[in-house]
Amino acid sequence: MYRFGETGRCWRLVVIGGGSAAAIQVRQGDVPPQDTLVIADRLGTGMEFLDNSILQSYADELRLSRHQETFRLGATGQLRPSAAQFDAYVRESLLGSGATLKSARVLEVEGEAGNFLLHVLNGDGRMSYERAEAVVLATGSTPRTPPPGWAEAGAVSHDVVHRERARQQTSRWAGRTVLVVGSGNSAMQVASLVASEAAEVVVLGNRYVGMFPTESPDKYSWRAPSQLACELVAKSAQECGRPGWHTTCVRHLVYDRLGVRDGEITWTYKAGDNQNPLGSRSLSGRCRHARGRLIGEGGSAWEESRRIEETAVVWATGSGPVLPGGPLIELLARDADGSLLTDEAGRTSMDGIHALGACAGQRAVNETTPALVRGRLPLPELLAGRGVPVDSEVSA
Ligand SMILES: Cc1cc2nc3c(=O)[nH]c(=O)nc-3n(C[C@H](O)[C@H](O)[C@H](O)COP(=O)(O)OP(=O)(O)OC[C@H]3O[C@@H](n4cnc5c(N)ncnc54)[C@H](O)[C@@H]3O)c2cc1C
């Protein structure tokens, strides 16, 4: 058992993570950078897998500091940076912040005597330990992996497609039917990413999200890069199979049931669930790819199947939080989606442990606000009042 006395300095603050949330905490938080240790297994955004893809946010929405910065985010006249440009910006921001940076992975956070002991796995495989008065979790999120039953179909999460694309590896989807499971921007963007090599692309969503702002006022609905997938659905609906048309057939369906069995992937869908601009152009009968078997009554529900060996399945159903291990972290109150429950000061249900960014359910960089660490205020009523187990065992 390791104890604080066996380690060196006790940091005023340790921030875990090396993405935009960590940079915002160091740059805008209330603990000076010189009193802060950042432990990250990588410096840069967790969106780095998007590589040269253009982000949805405008450069101004991605600022990490309130002060004038010398580093430019993208080229002059460029409205939105690529993920690779943003990655470099986050890294520069952390490197120039004045905080102490440690390249390592925190395996566990342990509480004792009002402080915290962090179990740290270093790049060389050696374990070391850091002490902190307060901890900020800025550990981000990771794309959800396909459910276990989908291993048989070789399903992968959407980041795998981006990574392979960046290495110019297209064999997973080239010449195949690509089924993209998901409703949001990740699904739409991966659909257009594979469209030039796939034999056909079908996006299978559980709802129709629509384009921002023409179809939905929600800023998290489909944004500009997703427009290309919308356009491909409409264009291929008119032209798939016609002489001279070589672009891949792309469809968008709100599905009813989706399953994999006996070497086949099968999905069902109803006309009633697809009364929208893309669904109405994707129903059975529209082209040679859309060959549904009529099921149910009234001729308005269909079933389609593809052989597994002719298909690539891509999961794009959102992200789940990434957190270090240990019983203390497991005790923290969570939201329904698994992200940490925090108040507006970034406090979790455990005194001295704070969280911000994607692991705390914040969906965008410009919604990420620094945790207020210095004042050890009473634990928020917000957390206690929601029947959440509030544990202040380690309070100073
Ligand atoms: C496809 C996609 C597109 C998106 N586009 C946008 C967009 O255009 N604009 C926008 O604002 N948001 C966008 N987002 C949301 C975006 O991911 C978040 O806003 C932002 O990246 C969250 O930053 P973060 O620092 O919380 O997490 P991340 O950027 O994921 O950083 C977390 C870091 O912590 C490290 N880490 C995790 N655990 C440990 C540990 N135990 N020890 C050490 N290090 C650890 C990780 O390796 C990672 O580097 C997008 C998300 C996705 C999936």
Side-chain angles (χ1 to χ4, degrees), residues 282-318:
S282 300
L283 296 176
S284 184
R286 80 160 220 182
C287 65
R288 69 195 162 97
H289 297 102
R291 303 163 314 235
R293 187 175 71 83
L294 268 177
I295 54 169
E297 290 171 14
S300 61
W302 297 271
E303 180 182 272
E304 287 188 41
S305 301
R306 300 291 185 274
R307 303 281 319 153
I308 282 177
E309 62 270 19
E310 296 162 1
T311 310
V313 183
V314 182
W315 226 257
T317 53

Side-chain angles (χ1 to χ4, degrees), residues 16-23 39-47 49-50 54-58 61-62 86 90 104-108 138-143 158 162 185-186 189 220 318-319 322-325 356-360 362-368:
I16 309 175
S20 49
I39 306 178
D41 53 10
R42 182 179 182 280
L43 292 186
T45 177
M47 297 184 274
F49 64 84
L50 295 173
I54 298 298
L55 293 181
Q56 288 160 200
S57 295
Y58 307 122
E61 294 173 320
L62 295 166
F86 184 58
V90 173
R105 185 159 190 85
V106 175
L107 299 185
E108 186 176 338
T139 41
S141 62
T142 190
H158 65 101
H162 285 278
N185 281 295
S186 298
Q189 288 165 29
Y220 292 110
S319 301
V322 173
L323 293 168
L356 79 164
C359 70
Q362 291 166 346
R363 297 175 72 183
V365 174
N366 67 345
E367 289 192 357
T368 302

Side-chain angles (χ1 to χ4, degrees), residues 124-149:
D124 58 6
R126 198 175 43 86
M127 287 298 296
S128 62
Y129 299 84
E130 296 290 347
R131 291 186 304 163
E133 290 174 28
V135 172
V136 166
L137 299 167
T139 41
S141 62
T142 190
R144 290 209 183 92
T145 50

Side-chain angles (χ1 to χ4, degrees), residues 173-192:
W173 61 86
R176 290 168 180 247
T177 296
V178 181
L179 298 179
V180 184
V181 183
S183 305
N185 281 295
S186 298
M188 296 301 270
Q189 288 165 29
V190 99
S192 53

Side-chain angles (χ1 to χ4, degrees), residues 170-222:
T170 58
S171 55
R172 184 182 298 283
W173 61 86
R176 290 168 180 247
T177 296
V178 181
L179 298 179
V180 184
V181 183
S183 305
N185 281 295
S186 298
M188 296 301 270
Q189 288 165 29
V190 99
S192 53
L193 195 72
V194 298
S196 54
E197 293 95 13
E200 63 166 330
V201 181
V202 186
V203 179
L204 294 170
N206 58 3
R207 66 197 174 104
Y208 181 78
V209 169
M211 280 303 299
F212 170 83
T214 46
E215 294 180 90
S216 164
D218 177 5
K219 69 173 182 164
Y220 292 110
S221 52
W222 297 335

Side-chain angles (χ1 to χ4, degrees), residues 3-25:
R3 288 291 170 256
F4 298 137
E6 296 169 27
T7 63
R9 175 176 178 178
C10 183
W11 291 89
R12 178 69 191 88
L13 174 65
V14 172
V15 177
I16 309 175
S20 49
I24 286 169
Q25 182 61 42

Side-chain angles (χ1 to χ4, degrees), residues 207-208 215 222 252 254 271 273-281:
R207 66 197 174 104
Y208 181 78
E215 294 180 90
W222 297 335
H252 180 287
V254 174
D273 293 336
N274 285 283
Q275 298 306 309
N276 57 65
L278 301 190
S280 58
R281 290 176 165 92

